[in-house]
């Protein structure tokens, strides 16, 4: 008689699976709560202690770690010496294993979880059985996902749970245990405050396959981090429109990052991962109007993120132009009725909560990975220094703050021009700072007169200030710290421009 060992924390589909195996002539072996669930379904099952002839001890911490279990799993059926040893020791083979693990992920997601609770939910026997069974996939069928139960039973009934099928099940097991171990490693790196340990272990779970990557000849998929506690496209709800593409997700993430900088009503338009229009106001309608006015050309075909509920009036304005995506925390019924009339417009509902703890930014390089803290720096973290004779006005200070929040998210070299609570020009990703400034001021046109300028890094020469003065800029915010800061200060004083140093840089490569 073939034997199957079932030990699962997730009881979904268990009784149907157990019955299917019994109908196929399997003898069932089980543990604790799984055994009780099988018995409650009226099905015969042996306890693990009947196989090991050893009781479960230490509150169930030790029950399956026994030669009668692992010998039955690891013995190679084609190896005569292995089979002779099993016979000599009176150990029976185990032909199928179905195990899923203690809910460590769900446990550490609880806001009030204690370290003791987390440790108690680290499964030891489960991963060990899974690995033993997966290593012996040639002889042992191993199932870790309840969704695979029906197919496994169906294949066994047909007599064709093939070598390749067993190998795929085993591969799934090793991914599952690796994911489980990675979450434990991440948890302990966090509680022991080891930000950059000797090995950096991360794990992500698949959200969806994508039609293609940045270009049609590239394949791609979207993954999410387990238990991520902040705003994320991976946790957003899509209410309308086509499936998100790789580039959509990149751009939408950029828009979400920018809009999270603001506490008052704000709207952000993004194109190719750079903000092209940002506005704030007393209402979300006013904020969107300013974001649109910031660059009414580039916003076409872009992504718009808003940090307040979209009302009917705002939805009607959004509908007037072609947009790829609209992201907001919520939508009124009337707004949703308007937006969903555009069948291809992707309408996303997303949490606008910043993550409670600082996260890492991962950047792949050929054969390696760079890891750094995310750039959480704000003006609240610094003491501003007015370096010039002229002090900025109250409105200029408001605009300087807005410009600084936006320039942080613009690809370096980055220049942002802002005026009256909105951006009016953005220069992104240029090889020199003067070039970025010229692009921003050209886009701003006459709006540059009386506007402020934000720069993500210091001015190594006064030429950027001279360019700003020619455009009509009246106040500048920049990190400072150049050996030639005085040259830029002198140029500002000459033109009556106020300049503020932050002593904080916002490079974005």
């Amino acid at each position: 008689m073939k034997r199957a060992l079932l030990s699962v924390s997730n009881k979904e589909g268990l009784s149907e699976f157990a019955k299917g195996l019994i109908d196929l002539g399997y003898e069932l072996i089980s543990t604790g709560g799984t055994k009780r669930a099988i018995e409650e379904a009226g099905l015969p099952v042996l306890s693990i202690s009947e196989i090991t002839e050893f009781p479960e001890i230490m509150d169930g911490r030790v029950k399956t770690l026994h030669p009668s279990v692992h010998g039955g799993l690891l013995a190679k059926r084609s190896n005569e010496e292995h089979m002779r040893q099993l016979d000599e020791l009176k150990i029976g083979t185990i032909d199928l294993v179905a195990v899923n693990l203690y809910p460590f992920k769900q446990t550490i997601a609880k806001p009030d979880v204690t370290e003791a609770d987390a440790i108690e939910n680290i499964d030891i026997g489960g991963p060990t059985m899974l690995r033993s069974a997966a290593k012996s996939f040639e002889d042992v069928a191993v199932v870790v996902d309840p969704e695979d139960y029906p197919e496994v039973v169906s294949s066994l009934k047909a007599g064709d749970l093939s070598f390749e099928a067993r190998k795929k099940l085993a591969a799934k097991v090793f991914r599952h245990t690796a994911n489980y171990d990675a979450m434990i490693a991440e948890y302990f790196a966090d509680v022991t405050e080891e930000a950059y340990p000797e090995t950096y272990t991360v794990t992500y779970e698949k959200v969806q396959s994508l039609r293609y990557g940045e270009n049609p000849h590239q394949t791609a998929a979207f993954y999410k981090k387990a238990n991520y506690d902040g705003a994320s496209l991976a946790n957003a709800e899509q209410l309308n429109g086509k499936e998100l593409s790789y580039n959509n997700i990149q751009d939408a993430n950029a828009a979400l990052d920018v809009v999270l900088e603001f506490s008052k009503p704000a709207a952000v338009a993004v194109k190719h991962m750079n903000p092209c229009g940002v506005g704030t106001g007393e209402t979300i309608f006013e904020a969107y109007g300013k974001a649109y006015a910031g660059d009414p050309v580039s916003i076409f075909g872009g992504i718009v993120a808003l940090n307040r509920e979209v009302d009917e009036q705002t939805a009607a304005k959004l509908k007037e132009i072609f947009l790829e995506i609209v992201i907001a925390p919520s939508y009124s019924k009337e707004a949703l009725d308007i937006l969903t009339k555009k069948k291809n417009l992707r309408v996303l509902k997303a949490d606008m909560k910043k993550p409670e703890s600082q996260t890492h930014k991962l950047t792949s390089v050929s054969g390696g990975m760079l890891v750094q803290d995310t750039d959480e720096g704000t003006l609240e973290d610094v003491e501003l220094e007015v370096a010039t004779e002229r002090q900025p006005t109250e409105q200029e200070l408001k605009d300087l703050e807005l410009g600084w929040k936006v320039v942080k998210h613009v690809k370096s070299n980055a220049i942002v021009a802002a005026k009256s609570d909105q951006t009016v020009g953005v220069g992104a990703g240029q090889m020199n700072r003067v070039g970025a400034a010229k692009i921003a001021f050209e886009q701003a046109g006459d709006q540059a007169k009386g506007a402020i300028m934000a720069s993500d890094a210091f001015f190594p020469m006064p030429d950027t200030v001279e360019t700003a003065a020619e455009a009509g800029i009246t106040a500048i915010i920049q990190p400072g710290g150049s050996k030639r800061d005085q040259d830029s200060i002198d140029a500002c004083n000459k033109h009556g421009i106020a300049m503020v140093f932050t002593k904080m840089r916002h490079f974005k490569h």
Side-chain angles (χ1 to χ4, degrees):
M1 178 180 286
K2 288 183 176 291
R3 298 195 302 173
L5 196 163
L6 312 181
S7 181
V8 296
S9 60
N10 178 0
K11 307 298 190 293
E12 179 187 344
L14 174 64
S15 58
E16 295 88 346
F17 185 51
K19 184 176 186 310
L21 292 175
I22 289 170
D23 290 344
L24 285 163
Y26 280 78
E27 181 179 58
L28 302 188
I29 308 162
S30 194
T31 62
T34 307
K35 180 175 180 288
R36 285 192 297 275
I38 294 171
E39 287 174 332
E40 287 169 4
L43 301 171
V45 58
L46 298 175
S47 74
I48 198 74
S49 296
E50 292 176 78
I51 302 304
T52 63
E53 298 183 353
F54 201 91
E56 294 186 18
I57 61 173
M58 302 174 188
D59 300 319
R61 279 190 165 204
V62 180
K63 54 194 173 192
T64 60
L65 299 170
H66 194 279
S68 292
V69 174
H70 292 280
L73 292 172
L74 288 166
K76 295 185 71 172
R77 309 319 192 243
S78 60
N79 186 307
E80 291 183 7
E81 180 59 21
H82 285 194
M83 299 310 290
R84 186 195 66 75
Q85 289 179 35
L86 286 187
D87 188 54
E88 182 181 308
L89 296 167
K90 296 181 172 55
I91 295 174
T93 56
I94 298 173
D95 307 284
L96 184 145
V97 168
V99 170
N100 49 64
L101 308 176
Y102 292 173
F104 182 80
K105 169 184 164 182
Q106 293 85 344
T107 299
I108 61 172
K110 296 174 184 175
D112 57 348
V113 66
T114 64
E115 191 171 309
D117 285 339
I119 290 170
E120 206 55 40
N121 278 277
I122 296 174
D123 204 326
I124 302 300
T128 308
M129 285 190 292
L130 284 173
R131 290 174 65 85
S132 292
K135 181 174 180 175
S136 299
F137 71 88
E138 185 175 353
D139 300 306
V140 182
V142 56
V143 192
V144 74
D145 185 350
E147 290 189 7
D148 291 328
Y149 293 165
E151 186 176 347
V152 168
V153 169
S154 176
S155 296
L156 288 170
K157 281 181 179 177
D160 65 351
L161 189 59
S162 66
F163 178 86
E164 287 302 319
R166 290 168 185 267
K167 186 188 286 187
K168 285 184 178 180
L169 287 169
K172 193 170 189 177
V173 163
F174 287 121
R175 290 193 298 271
H176 183 77
T177 56
N179 171 267
Y180 194 79
D181 285 341
M183 281 191 283
I184 295 169
E186 283 189 79
Y187 172 79
F188 275 97
D190 184 46
V191 298
T192 58
E193 299 182 346
E194 294 181 81
Y196 302 100
E198 71 285 352
T199 58
Y200 192 85
T201 307
V202 292
T203 183
Y204 290 82
E205 299 166 355
K206 191 173 182 179
V207 176
Q208 67 190 92
S209 295
L210 301 174
R211 287 174 295 159
Y212 52 83
E214 283 182 297
N215 300 290
H217 62 275
Q218 295 171 271
T219 58
F222 184 30
Y223 290 81
K224 70 176 180 180
K225 189 169 180 59
N227 294 338
Y228 186 73
D229 65 353
S232 169
L233 267 294
N235 298 324
E237 180 184 358
Q238 185 165 347
L239 306 177
N240 186 67
K242 297 187 296 184
E243 179 183 312
L244 291 170
S245 71
Y246 181 97
N247 292 332
N248 288 155
I249 293 167
Q250 288 263 59
D251 286 339
N253 183 69
L256 199 55
D257 282 347
V258 182
V259 84
L260 287 170
E261 295 283 347
F262 297 92
S263 56
K264 66 185 297 186
V268 174
V270 161
K271 198 75 171 287
H272 300 304
M273 294 186 65
N274 279 304
C276 59
V278 178
T280 63
E282 295 305 311
T283 66
I284 201 64
F285 177 75
E286 182 185 356
Y288 172 67
K290 290 181 176 180
Y292 174 83
D295 188 347
V297 175
S298 297
I299 194 174
F300 185 85
I303 282 80
V304 171
L306 311 104
N307 66 355
R308 295 291 192 277
E309 179 171 276
V310 176
D311 54 25
E312 183 178 9
Q313 186 183 25
T314 307
K317 291 297 290 183
L318 288 163
K319 187 174 179 287
E320 288 178 359
I321 62 168
F322 168 60
L323 295 171
E324 289 278 3
I325 301 173
V326 174
I327 315 166
S330 59
Y331 302 82
S332 71
K333 180 183 181 302
E334 295 78 11
L336 207 52
D337 287 344
I338 291 168
L339 295 175
T340 53
K341 283 184 170 64
K342 303 186 83 168
K343 66 177 184 177
N344 289 331
L345 174 63
R346 300 162 178 90
V347 178
L348 301 181
K349 180 181 176 182
D351 183 5
M352 292 288 169
K353 181 184 75 173
K354 278 199 167 188
E356 293 177 4
S357 58
Q358 192 176 58
T359 58
H360 279 164
K361 177 178 174 59
L362 313 181
T363 303
S364 62
V365 296
S366 297
M369 181 171 68
L370 290 167
V371 183
Q372 67 171 342
D373 288 340
T374 53
D375 184 357
E376 299 292 342
T378 70
L379 292 182
E380 294 174 0
D381 304 316
V382 299
E383 187 174 337
L384 296 179
E385 175 193 343
V386 179
T388 50
E389 295 167 359
R390 187 171 86 75
Q391 298 282 319
T393 66
E394 185 177 340
Q395 182 60 50
E396 283 173 340
L397 279 172
K398 287 174 62 180
D399 291 335
L400 287 169
E401 181 181 1
L402 183 145
W404 189 246
K405 287 179 177 180
V406 176
V407 82
K408 169 181 172 181
H409 298 277
V410 178
K411 190 172 177 64
S412 302
N413 284 314
I415 295 290
V416 169
K419 182 179 180 180
S420 303
D421 305 321
Q422 71 180 68
T423 58
V424 293
V426 177
Q430 297 307 299
M431 287 65 72
N432 65 75
R433 199 155 298 280
V434 175
K438 286 179 177 178
I439 291 172
F441 303 148
E442 181 181 355
Q443 181 188 320
D446 289 341
Q447 286 281 76
K449 291 181 173 61
I452 67 88
M453 178 180 77
S455 172
D456 64 326
F458 63 57
F459 305 140
M461 297 179 190
D463 50 3
T464 307
V465 174
E466 294 293 346
T467 303
E470 289 173 17
I473 295 295
T474 60
I476 294 171
I477 187 167
Q478 58 123 326
S482 169
K483 291 179 179 179
R484 299 185 62 180
D485 273 348
Q486 192 59 50
D487 290 350
S488 293
I489 294 168
D490 291 344
C492 283
N493 287 333
K494 181 177 75 172
H495 295 289
I497 296 172
M499 184 160 66
V500 175
F501 287 166
T502 65
K503 304 180 183 66
M504 175 188 288
R505 190 180 73 187
H506 280 315
F507 270 164
K508 186 182 180 189
H509 283 85

